Amino acid sequence: MRILALSLLVRCILAVVPCLAPSLAAAKPPPPPFSSCVNLSNALEAPIEGHWGYTIRAEDIKRIAEAGFDAIRVPIRWSAHTEASPPHLIDPALFKRVDEVVAQGLSAGLKVIINVHHFEAFSSEPSRHAPQLAAMWEQISKHYTSAPDDVIFELINEPNDQATAQFMNRINQLLVTVIRETNPKRWIIFGGAQWGSLGGLLESLPPKARRVIASFHYYDPFSFTHQGATFVEPMQPAGKPWGTNAEHRSIANDMKRAAAYGETHGVPVLLGEFGVHITTKLEDRAHWLGHVRAGAEENGIGWCHWGWAAEFRMFDAENDVWIAPIRDALIRPNLEQN
Ligand code: GLC
């Protein structure tokens, strides 16, 4: 043991490998509290629900549960319904709507993740907006203090720009402290900087607390997953295929790196978003999704597909039909195993 510790220390000093001192003490991470989840994208993340083409429906939540998924992630733009100046009160109408969706998820037997999504001002000027973020979490935590454990909090979606890894370490710790005052045991999901990417997570430290989950988002290669997405500048040209041996290896390798983070820090790991834009050939979408899902599962990582009924969809909400190859790439292999 001494020799191992010494050789690690030397290697750290020589900076041949990153310093992994905490891993010596780390316990095997507990499994994530859910395994297969769907993001209810483009609904409550829009400034007003419905303005981005989808409003969450109770029957969709039931469908998700019946297909075999065990959780939904509900992206919510709280900042659009919160006073910009102190005390930063959240509009009760938004709470009422989120309560409805949470109740629908719980009664379908799903875990329900609620997050803070699209707080873009925070990433541009994190010090200035941190008090608002903390005030929002204080109110959300109080509101859900008596909710069942199946309601899970996620601190903030995809911090980027000025919200650096170092800054996020401090703010994540602060938010967890705020939440723990009213929710001593609830699972809390945190992510890193750089748009919540794997790179961002690997640079971050988990908040010091029990029952926290490390999350990362995975859209690599971006030129494949985001081809044709009009919100990306410059727009990535359509027609990009995926599936070389090197590309397969790259996914396997990335999932191992994510799992290693969990082992190092003794926390469960979640792939909180992964998906492919609908411009992409359906067969290629399903192929990539199946590989990423399998790679996550092989490494004990829970996952959450982006998304339900919008641009990265798995369900056609206009005609009320599943996009079967996408659903099957995600959930069928699990159902067949059981
Ligand atoms: C992030 C963004 C969301 C986008 C998705 C895929 O979650 O917040 O708006 O659609 O990633 O790019």
Side-chain angles (χ1 to χ4, degrees):
M1 192 62 181
R2 259 183 75 104
I3 293 174
L4 181 67
L6 191 65
S7 89
L8 244 164
L9 181 68
V10 171
R11 283 197 286 162
C12 284
I13 292 167
L14 294 177
V16 175
V17 292
C19 290
L20 294 173
S23 68
L24 292 175
K28 191 168 167 47
F34 56 88
S35 56
S36 47
C37 156
V38 174
N39 272 289
L40 295 181
S41 47
N42 284 51
L44 285 160
E45 64 162 307
I48 297 189
E49 189 186 14
H51 281 201
W52 284 5
Y54 177 67
T55 299
I56 297 172
R57 306 180 300 186
E59 65 263 34
D60 288 343
I61 293 178
K62 266 205 200 144
R63 278 189 183 104
I64 290 170
E66 281 162 12
F69 296 91
D70 61 1
I72 47 175
R73 177 172 180 258
V74 189
I76 306 165
R77 193 187 284 246
W78 296 94
S79 56
H81 307 266
T82 301
E83 292 168 353
S85 43
H88 301 294
L89 290 182
I90 297 174
D91 183 350
L94 179 61
F95 272 124
K96 200 162 162 253
R97 176 63 183 137
V98 176
D99 288 351
E100 266 170 22
V101 173
V102 167
Q104 288 161 3
L106 295 176
S107 71
L110 299 170
K111 305 262 189 299
V112 182
I113 304 164
I114 55 176
N115 79 347
V116 169
H117 212 91
H118 289 305
F119 190 7
E120 278 134 23
F122 171 80
S123 285
S124 319
E125 287 180 282
S127 302
R128 180 163 165 220
H129 294 287
Q132 180 175 344
L133 183 57
M136 291 190 313
W137 270 116
E138 196 182 359
Q139 295 166 75
I140 301 167
S141 316
K142 265 197 199 138
H143 188 88
Y144 290 106
T145 181
S146 319
D149 288 351
D150 284 355
V151 176
I152 297 173
F153 291 162
E154 180 178 337
L155 301 177
I156 183 153
N157 185 63
E158 299 190 351
N160 60 84
D161 194 3
Q162 302 302 309
T164 60
Q166 291 69 27
F167 191 88
M168 289 315 297
N169 285 343
R170 293 204 300 274
I171 196 82
N172 284 342
Q173 185 67 56
L174 170 85
L175 297 178
V176 166
T177 307
V178 167
I179 291 170
R180 282 291 179 251
E181 279 177 22
T182 43
N183 292 258
K185 283 193 353 231
R186 190 171 305 289
W187 281 105
I188 299 175
I189 300 173
F190 74 96
Q194 298 169 36
W195 299 94
S197 61
L198 177 57
L201 178 65
L202 298 181
E203 280 186 17
S204 319
L205 289 171
K208 291 189 186 71
R210 286 176 191 276
R211 287 166 78 86
V212 293
I213 302 170
S215 175
F216 70 104
H217 294 180
Y218 196 76
Y219 289 105
D220 290 353
F222 191 79
S223 57
F224 168 73
T225 62
H226 280 68
Q227 57 187 288
T230 48
F231 64 86
V232 172
E233 274 178 36
M235 197 170 98
Q236 308 294 305
K240 176 134 175 106
W242 179 84
T244 64
N245 287 342
E247 286 171 332
H248 284 126
R249 277 198 302 275
S250 167
I251 288 183
N253 190 33
D254 286 341
M255 295 303 143
K256 282 205 179 88
R257 291 163 72 212
Y261 179 92
E263 300 239 333
T264 300
H265 296 288
V267 291
V269 178
L270 167 69
L271 168 53
E273 283 187 20
F274 70 117
V276 186
H277 195 267
I278 42 161
T279 306
T280 315
K281 215 166 119 198
L282 185 55
E283 207 183 296
D284 289 348
R285 281 181 78 199
H287 185 194
W288 185 89
L289 285 169
H291 264 274
V292 177
R293 174 197 54 72
E297 287 171 359
E298 278 157 27
N299 286 282
I301 297 172
W303 50 260
C304 203
H305 175 248
W306 185 274
W308 174 243
E311 281 174 284
F312 290 68
R313 61 178 160 258
M314 60 196 301
F315 188 79
D316 172 354
E318 248 174 62
N319 300 301
D320 277 344
V321 285
W322 287 93
I323 301 173
I326 304 300
R327 177 199 54 197
D328 296 351
L330 294 169
I331 206 71
R332 178 163 289 167
N334 296 310
L335 296 179
E336 281 171 0
Q337 266 166 32
N338 294 330

